[in-house]
Amino acid sequence: MKSFVTGAAVTLGLLLAPLAGSTLASAAPAPDSTTSPAAHQPTAEARQHGITKAGEAFMGWRQPTTAAGPAVMAPTATVEGIDVSSHQGNVDWAAQWNAGKRFAYSKATEGNYYSNPYFAQQYNGSYNVGMIRGAYHFATPNDSSGANQANYFVDRGGAWSRDGRTLPGALDIEYNPYGATCYGLSASAMVSWIRDFLNTYKSRTGRDAVIYTNLDWWSRCTGNSTAFNATNPLWVARYASAPGTLPGGWPYHTIWQYSSTPIDQDRFNGDQTRLVALANG
């Protein structure tokens, strides 16, 4: 299921059986929390990035301030994509397609208290113009178990179907916009939480979820754990000319978020056939 630029093949999950389920998402349920509980008051830094209340966190809201290490060459065979959240509202998917975007991830959920009210338009709209699409979950590990949040995600848009157009769900695990950077967890507790989420997601969908993170946060909050580099595709965030040193001993990245201008920009590490292979499992 993983993508490569060259033929160094570590192929995962090729024998997955097709899963039942509709191709398109139904209308997203209303957010599960209409007010921001005290535990989810955005920090001053988060507010500077436009996160004003619970549920508004998004991929790459904060970029690392430490050096990302020596550069790793960017791949030559790539597919362009974007990721979106409620901040983008209803997306003009025809315009994104005309701009050359061929895949998209949409935020479905956050923690165990929020679902994106624009998710159906974003998830279905990208599909309807011909893109390969996926859903992501913004994790808040201090709120509930990994299993609880994985189930919450799957039940609200994070499921997978083997239609060749749906990517495995992504776990967005990064800086906490509501408090302590590592959500008050030790490195070992964070690794356990991530494992709980991933195991539950796989038991529900048959797929290994993609992990979105960056070198700085992963090193600080998991001790640069290598526990997942053989099973879960890496979506690395680094706004630079190359992906840089990868976290967690991953030998390669599958997706690279390289810019947030004018919208989060992503690059798949492989050609279109490898992107379809990732969708198919």
Side-chain angles (χ1 to χ4, degrees):
M1 63 163 250
K2 295 177 87 171
S3 143
F4 323 119
V5 177
T6 64
V10 178
T11 305
L12 300 174
L14 294 180
L15 301 179
L16 291 177
L19 297 183
S22 60
T23 298
L24 302 183
S26 58
D32 299 271
S33 175
T34 56
T35 59
S36 296
H40 300 102
Q41 290 297 326
T43 63
E45 183 178 17
R47 289 180 180 277
Q48 291 173 357
H49 288 83
I51 301 172
T52 63
K53 59 186 177 182
E56 291 187 345
F58 55 92
M59 281 186 165
W61 74 270
R62 172 186 168 191
Q63 283 299 297
T65 55
T66 57
V72 173
M73 289 296 292
T76 55
T78 61
V79 182
E80 293 294 320
I82 60 171
D83 61 86
V84 295
S85 67
S86 62
H87 290 271
Q88 282 71 49
N90 291 324
V91 176
D92 184 343
W93 289 109
Q96 293 297 326
W97 178 269
N98 291 336
K101 308 306 178 184
R102 295 296 180 262
F103 75 95
Y105 267 92
S106 302
K107 179 180 175 180
T109 51
E110 177 178 318
N112 61 350
Y113 51 84
Y114 174 86
S115 52
N116 175 12
Y118 295 97
F119 178 72
Q121 190 276 344
Q122 295 173 351
Y123 191 70
N124 296 341
S126 54
Y127 182 97
N128 288 337
V129 297
M131 292 185 190
I132 297 177
R133 49 75 191 277
Y136 80 84
H137 173 77
F138 191 98
T140 57
N142 57 320
D143 284 316
S144 63
S145 69
N148 173 266
Q149 293 193 28
N151 283 318
Y152 189 87
F153 174 48
V154 172
D155 291 343
R156 290 164 175 78
W160 174 77
S161 59
R162 196 177 193 181
D163 58 6
R165 298 277 302 282
T166 302
L167 294 163
L171 171 63
D172 178 1
I173 188 82
E174 58 172 307
Y175 304 103
N176 180 9
Y178 310 117
T181 296
C182 299
Y183 300 86
L185 274 62
S186 67
S188 60
M190 183 65 74
V191 170
S192 294
W193 190 97
I194 294 169
R195 183 177 291 110
D196 193 30
F197 182 100
L198 298 175
N199 287 346
T200 303
Y201 185 83
K202 186 169 186 178
S203 73
R204 290 286 307 274
T205 67
R207 294 303 305 270
D208 288 301
V210 176
I211 294 176
Y212 169 96
T213 194
N214 64 69
L215 176 64
D216 177 67
W217 186 91
W218 192 263
S219 297
R220 286 197 211 183
C221 298
T222 75
N224 208 25
S225 172
T226 60
F228 311 107
N229 63 36
T231 51
N232 298 87
L234 172 66
W235 184 349
V236 66
R238 188 188 183 214
Y239 296 173
S241 59
T245 300
L246 301 180
W250 269 277
Y252 53 85
H253 68 281
T254 295
I255 303 173
W256 168 31
Q257 186 190 65
Y258 62 89
S259 176
S260 61
T261 305
I263 195 171
D264 284 355
Q265 304 288 319
D266 301 293
R267 191 165 286 158
F268 178 76
N269 186 4
D271 62 18
Q272 185 74 19
T273 64
R274 299 311 306 156
L275 181 63
V276 172
L278 178 62
N280 277 325

